[in-house]
Amino acid sequence: MTAPTKPSPGGPSDPAASGVPLHAPVIDWFDEHARDLPWRRPEAGAWGVMVSEFMLQQTPVSRVQPVYEQWLARWPRPADLAAEAPGEAVRAWGRLGYPRRALRLHGAAAAITERHGGDVPADHAQMLALPGIGEYTAAAVASFAYGQRHAVLDTNVRRVLARAVTGVQYPPNATTAAERKLARALLPEEQERAARWAAASMELGALVCTAKKESCHRCPIAAQCAWRLAGKPAHDGPPRRGQTYAGTDRQVRGRLLAVLRDAAGPVPQAALDHVWQEPVQRARALDGLVADGLVEPLADGLYRLPLS
């Protein structure tokens, strides 16, 4: 079978025509198969949703859930986190990876406390103005916490839309203006249903329309999926970015941070030198941690997690 042609206005691949038939089966599937995750429960509130969105970036649910629960038990409101040193956020982040997210979340909590009386703002523009909050996170919190109508484009949603509507196996490496336009065109008009669609399409990508082993036999929109109907043409775009870890500066940074997280106070250079033998890479990783604000150098060759 030939690959699908570019959508034509009013044609079967036109977003306005494609969206409505997708909504009901995906939302109905979600109502039956959605995972019971703590940040989806009413008691999570907007702060719980925000914390989950920071933690879930590039990190699987299985690793996030225990850290999330410990985090919310310790810091149930933004003001509780803002009252602590940034280094405590880095310490509590543990081994989730990409620890700058912990500093950004701490900065957002401080701004929420100062600007909004400790409550995560419901206004999308105010949320987007918070430090560390980008387009995706603002849309996700506004949608999932406050039931607003926003296009929420994470990797899973982008893959579902690429296959079901655009007819390609994978979306581009970086989110494009065309993807944003498509996602907005596919949003249900009613706010609550739009928020439900955002959560449902994300879950479909996470559980069924996965990157490597899609389960079309379990997909509620398989009969309408442009990629499946085209014979599942192989990806012919730029190579997809793979994530490596072993031997990288990321691994070295992680080992250095682990020493600092486990220490009750400042640690000497010698303790850090012990975790990685290659001195140039070790120094580069440590310099990067200092530059990112994740580590504070002190006198006499000592280092600690940041206090301010």
Side-chain angles (χ1 to χ4, degrees), residues 179-193:
E179 287 181 283
R180 295 186 182 95
K181 182 179 180 180
L182 172 63
R184 289 193 296 267
L186 290 172
L187 276 177
E189 289 298 325
E190 196 269 321
Q191 280 208 112
E192 184 177 347
R193 191 164 178 81

Side-chain angles (χ1 to χ4, degrees), residues 34-228:
R35 291 169 291 180
D36 179 20
L37 301 174
W39 45 87
R40 288 179 176 163
R41 299 168 191 163
E43 61 268 24
W47 173 238
V49 172
M50 177 176 285
V51 171
S52 75
E53 288 300 333
F54 271 81
M55 291 185 172
L56 288 165
Q57 295 167 21
Q58 299 177 291
T59 308
V61 166
S62 59
R63 290 180 58 199
V64 165
Q65 189 161 343
V67 180
Y68 170 89
E69 291 173 344
Q70 294 165 10
W71 190 284
L72 268 295
R74 180 175 179 181
W75 298 308
R77 289 181 53 79
D80 301 316
L81 175 59
E84 297 253 22
E88 286 306 300
V90 176
R91 193 188 310 277
W93 199 256
R95 301 182 63 83
L96 284 182
Y98 302 98
R100 279 178 288 182
R101 292 180 292 169
L103 289 183
R104 291 198 292 267
L105 185 51
H106 185 277
I112 290 168
T113 303
E114 179 182 344
R115 303 175 193 173
H116 304 289
D119 294 321
V120 177
D123 181 80
H124 179 264
Q126 290 180 338
M127 202 178 306
L128 196 56
L130 295 172
I133 302 291
E135 175 187 357
Y136 165 78
T137 304
V141 176
S143 179
F144 301 151
Y146 293 116
Q148 297 177 12
R149 184 179 183 271
H150 294 282
V152 183
L153 273 175
D154 81 333
T155 301
N156 291 312
V157 176
R158 293 176 62 225
R159 186 169 57 253
V160 167
L161 299 188
R163 292 175 178 175
V165 181
T166 312
V168 297
Q169 185 177 18
Y170 299 117
N173 285 333
T175 306
T176 65
E179 287 181 283
R180 295 186 182 95
K181 182 179 180 180
L182 172 63
R184 289 193 296 267
L186 290 172
L187 276 177
E189 289 298 325
E190 196 269 321
Q191 280 208 112
E192 184 177 347
R193 191 164 178 81
R196 197 70 175 164
W197 161 255
S201 54
M202 184 177 295
E203 190 80 332
L204 185 67
L207 300 183
V208 175
C209 193
T210 57
K212 294 182 179 179
K213 293 183 179 180
E214 67 279 355
S215 301
C216 296
H217 64 285
R218 296 194 292 122
C219 180
I221 54 173
Q224 298 128 282
C225 176
W227 181 57
R228 190 189 71 83

Side-chain angles (χ1 to χ4, degrees), residues 23-33 193:
H23 297 155
V26 173
I27 292 173
D28 288 347
W29 172 87
F30 183 65
D31 289 343
E32 183 177 353
H33 297 284
R193 191 164 178 81

